[in-house]
Coordinates of all heavy atoms in Angstrom, one line a residue:
R6 N -20.2 -48.7 -7.7 CA -21.5 -48.7 -6.9 C -22.6 -47.9 -7.6 O -23.6 -47.5 -6.9 CB -21.1 -48.1 -5.6 CG -20.1 -48.9 -4.7 CD -19.9 -48.3 -3.4 NE -18.8 -49.0 -2.7 CZ -19.0 -50.1 -1.9 NH1 -20.2 -50.6 -1.8 NH2 -18.0 -50.7 -1.3
A7 N -22.5 -47.8 -8.9 CA -23.6 -47.1 -9.6 C -24.9 -47.9 -9.6 O -26.0 -47.4 -9.7 CB -23.2 -46.8 -11.1
S8 N -24.8 -49.2 -9.5 CA -26.0 -50.1 -9.5 C -25.6 -51.4 -8.8 O -24.4 -51.7 -8.6 CB -26.4 -50.4 -10.9 OG -25.5 -51.2 -11.6
L9 N -26.6 -52.2 -8.4 CA -26.3 -53.5 -7.8 C -25.6 -54.4 -8.7 O -24.6 -55.1 -8.4 CB -27.6 -54.1 -7.3 CG -27.5 -55.5 -6.7 CD1 -26.6 -55.5 -5.5 CD2 -28.8 -56.1 -6.3
A10 N -26.0 -54.4 -10.0 CA -25.3 -55.2 -11.0 C -23.8 -54.8 -11.2 O -23.0 -55.7 -11.3 CB -26.0 -55.1 -12.4
D11 N -23.5 -53.6 -11.2 CA -22.1 -53.1 -11.2 C -21.3 -53.6 -10.0 O -20.2 -54.0 -10.1 CB -22.1 -51.6 -11.4 CG -22.2 -51.1 -12.8 OD1 -22.5 -51.9 -13.7 OD2 -22.1 -49.9 -13.0
A12 N -21.9 -53.4 -8.8 CA -21.3 -53.8 -7.6 C -21.0 -55.3 -7.6 O -19.9 -55.7 -7.2 CB -22.1 -53.4 -6.4
Q13 N -21.9 -56.1 -8.1 CA -21.7 -57.6 -8.1 C -20.6 -57.9 -9.1 O -19.8 -58.8 -8.8 CB -23.0 -58.3 -8.5 CG -24.1 -58.2 -7.3 CD -25.4 -58.7 -7.7 OE1 -25.8 -58.6 -8.9 NE2 -26.1 -59.4 -6.8
A14 N -20.6 -57.3 -10.3 CA -19.6 -57.5 -11.3 C -18.2 -57.1 -10.8 O -17.2 -57.8 -10.9 CB -19.9 -56.8 -12.6
A15 N -18.2 -55.9 -10.1 CA -16.9 -55.5 -9.6 C -16.4 -56.4 -8.5 O -15.2 -56.7 -8.5 CB -17.1 -54.0 -9.1
A16 N -17.3 -56.8 -7.6 CA -16.8 -57.7 -6.6 C -16.3 -59.0 -7.1 O -15.3 -59.6 -6.6 CB -18.0 -58.0 -5.6
S17 N -16.9 -59.5 -8.2 CA -16.5 -60.8 -8.8 C -15.1 -60.7 -9.3 O -14.3 -61.6 -9.1 CB -17.5 -61.2 -9.9 OG -17.1 -62.4 -10.4
A18 N -14.8 -59.6 -10.0 CA -13.5 -59.4 -10.6 C -12.4 -59.0 -9.5 O -11.3 -59.5 -9.5 CB -13.5 -58.3 -11.7
G19 N -12.9 -58.2 -8.6 CA -12.0 -57.7 -7.6 C -11.6 -58.7 -6.5 O -10.5 -58.6 -5.9
Q20 N -12.4 -59.6 -6.3 CA -12.1 -60.6 -5.2 C -10.9 -61.4 -5.6 O -10.1 -61.8 -4.7 CB -13.3 -61.5 -5.0 CG -13.2 -62.3 -3.7 CD -13.1 -61.5 -2.5 OE1 -13.9 -60.6 -2.3 NE2 -12.1 -61.7 -1.7
V21 N -10.7 -61.7 -6.9 CA -9.5 -62.4 -7.3 C -8.3 -61.6 -7.0 O -7.3 -62.2 -6.5 CB -9.6 -62.7 -8.9 CG1 -8.3 -63.4 -9.3 CG2 -10.8 -63.5 -9.2
V22 N -8.3 -60.3 -7.3 CA -7.1 -59.5 -7.0 C -6.9 -59.4 -5.5 O -5.7 -59.5 -5.1 CB -7.4 -58.1 -7.6 CG1 -6.2 -57.2 -7.4 CG2 -7.7 -58.1 -9.1
L23 N -8.0 -59.2 -4.8 CA -7.8 -59.1 -3.3 C -7.2 -60.4 -2.7 O -6.3 -60.3 -1.8 CB -9.2 -58.8 -2.7 CG -9.3 -58.5 -1.2 CD1 -8.5 -57.2 -0.9 CD2 -10.7 -58.4 -0.7
A24 N -7.7 -61.5 -3.1 CA -7.1 -62.8 -2.6 C -5.7 -62.9 -2.9 O -4.9 -63.4 -2.1 CB -7.9 -64.0 -3.2
Q25 N -5.3 -62.5 -4.1 CA -3.9 -62.6 -4.5 C -3.0 -61.7 -3.7 O -1.9 -62.1 -3.3 CB -3.7 -62.3 -6.0 CG -4.3 -63.3 -7.0 CD -4.3 -62.9 -8.4 OE1 -4.3 -61.7 -8.7 NE2 -4.3 -63.8 -9.3
L26 N -3.5 -60.5 -3.4 CA -2.8 -59.5 -2.6 C -2.5 -60.1 -1.2 O -1.3 -60.1 -0.7 CB -3.6 -58.2 -2.4 CG -3.6 -57.3 -3.6 CD1 -4.6 -56.2 -3.3 CD2 -2.2 -56.7 -3.8
W27 N -3.5 -60.7 -0.6 CA -3.3 -61.2 0.8 C -2.5 -62.5 0.8 O -1.6 -62.6 1.6 CB -4.7 -61.5 1.4 CG -5.3 -60.3 2.0 CD1 -6.4 -59.6 1.5 CD2 -4.9 -59.5 3.1 NE1 -6.7 -58.5 2.3 CE2 -5.7 -58.4 3.3 CE3 -3.8 -59.6 4.0 CZ2 -5.6 -57.5 4.3 CZ3 -3.6 -58.7 5.0 CH2 -4.5 -57.6 5.1
A28 N -2.7 -63.3 -0.2 CA -1.9 -64.6 -0.3 C -0.4 -64.3 -0.4 O 0.4 -64.9 0.2 CB -2.4 -65.5 -1.4
S29 N -0.1 -63.3 -1.3 CA 1.3 -62.9 -1.5 C 1.9 -62.3 -0.3 O 3.0 -62.7 0.1 CB 1.3 -62.0 -2.7 OG 2.6 -61.5 -3.0
A30 N 1.2 -61.4 0.3 CA 1.7 -60.7 1.5 C 2.0 -61.6 2.6 O 3.0 -61.5 3.3 CB 0.8 -59.5 1.9
L31 N 1.1 -62.5 2.9 CA 1.2 -63.4 4.0 C 2.2 -64.5 3.7 O 3.0 -64.9 4.6 CB -0.2 -64.1 4.3 CG -1.2 -63.1 4.9 CD1 -2.6 -63.8 5.0 CD2 -0.8 -62.5 6.2
E32 N 2.2 -65.0 2.5 CA 3.2 -66.1 2.1 C 4.6 -65.6 2.3 O 5.5 -66.4 2.7 CB 2.9 -66.5 0.7 CG 3.8 -67.7 0.3 CD 3.6 -68.2 -1.2 OE1 2.7 -67.6 -1.8 OE2 4.2 -69.1 -1.6
A33 N 4.9 -64.3 1.9 CA 6.2 -63.8 2.0 C 6.7 -63.8 3.5 O 7.9 -63.6 3.7 CB 6.2 -62.3 1.5
R34 N 5.8 -63.9 4.4 CA 6.1 -63.9 5.9 C 5.9 -65.3 6.5 O 5.7 -65.4 7.7 CB 5.3 -62.8 6.6 CG 5.8 -61.4 6.2 CD 4.8 -60.4 6.3 NE 5.4 -59.1 5.8 CZ 5.4 -58.7 4.5 NH1 4.9 -59.5 3.6 NH2 6.0 -57.6 4.2
G35 N 5.8 -66.3 5.6 CA 5.7 -67.7 6.1 C 4.3 -68.1 6.6 O 4.2 -69.1 7.3
L36 N 3.3 -67.3 6.2 CA 1.9 -67.6 6.6 C 1.1 -68.1 5.5 O 1.3 -67.6 4.3 CB 1.3 -66.3 7.3 CG 2.0 -65.8 8.5 CD1 1.3 -64.5 8.9 CD2 2.0 -66.8 9.6
K37 N 0.1 -68.9 5.7 CA -0.7 -69.5 4.7 C -2.1 -68.8 4.8 O -2.8 -68.8 5.8 CB -0.9 -71.0 4.9 CG 0.4 -71.7 4.8 CD 0.3 -73.2 5.1 CE 1.6 -73.9 5.0 NZ 1.4 -75.4 5.3
A38 N -2.5 -68.2 3.7 CA -3.9 -67.6 3.6 C -4.9 -68.6 3.2 O -4.6 -69.5 2.4 CB -3.8 -66.4 2.6
A39 N -6.1 -68.4 3.7 CA -7.3 -69.3 3.3 C -8.5 -68.4 3.1 O -8.9 -67.7 4.0 CB -7.5 -70.3 4.4
Q40 N -9.0 -68.4 1.9 CA -10.1 -67.5 1.6 C -11.5 -68.1 2.0 O -11.7 -69.2 1.8 CB -10.2 -67.2 0.1 CG -11.2 -66.1 -0.3 CD -11.3 -65.9 -1.8 OE1 -11.5 -66.9 -2.5 NE2 -11.2 -64.7 -2.2
M41 N -12.3 -67.2 2.6 CA -13.7 -67.6 2.8 C -14.6 -66.4 2.4 O -14.4 -65.3 2.9 CB -14.0 -67.9 4.3 CG -13.5 -69.2 4.8 SD -13.9 -69.5 6.5 CE -15.7 -69.6 6.5
L42 N -15.6 -66.7 1.5 CA -16.6 -65.7 1.2 C -17.9 -66.1 1.8 O -18.3 -67.2 1.6 CB -16.7 -65.6 -0.4 CG -15.4 -65.2 -1.1 CD1 -15.7 -65.2 -2.6 CD2 -15.0 -63.8 -0.7
V43 N -18.5 -65.2 2.5 CA -19.8 -65.5 3.2 C -20.9 -64.5 2.8 O -20.6 -63.4 2.4 CB -19.6 -65.5 4.7 CG1 -18.6 -66.6 5.1 CG2 -19.2 -64.2 5.2
T44 N -22.1 -64.9 3.0 CA -23.2 -64.1 2.8 C -23.9 -63.9 4.2 O -23.6 -64.6 5.1 CB -24.3 -64.6 1.8 OG1 -24.8 -65.9 2.3 CG2 -23.6 -64.9 0.5
L45 N -24.9 -63.0 4.2 CA -25.6 -62.8 5.5 C -26.3 -64.1 5.9 O -26.2 -64.5 7.1 CB -26.7 -61.7 5.2 CG -27.6 -61.4 6.4 CD1 -26.8 -60.8 7.6 CD2 -28.7 -60.5 6.0
G46 N -26.8 -64.8 4.9 CA -27.5 -66.1 5.3 C -26.6 -67.1 5.9 O -27.1 -67.9 6.7
D47 N -25.3 -67.1 5.5 CA -24.4 -68.1 6.1 C -24.2 -67.9 7.6 O -23.9 -68.9 8.3 CB -23.0 -67.9 5.4 CG -23.0 -68.3 4.0 OD1 -23.8 -69.2 3.6 OD2 -22.3 -67.7 3.2
L48 N -24.4 -66.7 8.1 CA -24.3 -66.5 9.5 C -25.6 -66.2 10.2 O -25.6 -66.2 11.5 CB -23.3 -65.3 9.7 CG -21.9 -65.5 9.2 CD1 -21.0 -64.3 9.5 CD2 -21.2 -66.7 9.7

């Protein structure tokens, strides 16, 4: 969070890890994960 550019770069890399965490945890319990990324404008 040192700069907006850093936050955007971190989010881009971290979202892959985050999605994998949730998909794995839910799949192990018979649930299917579906990712949605939204912006303020989308809502």
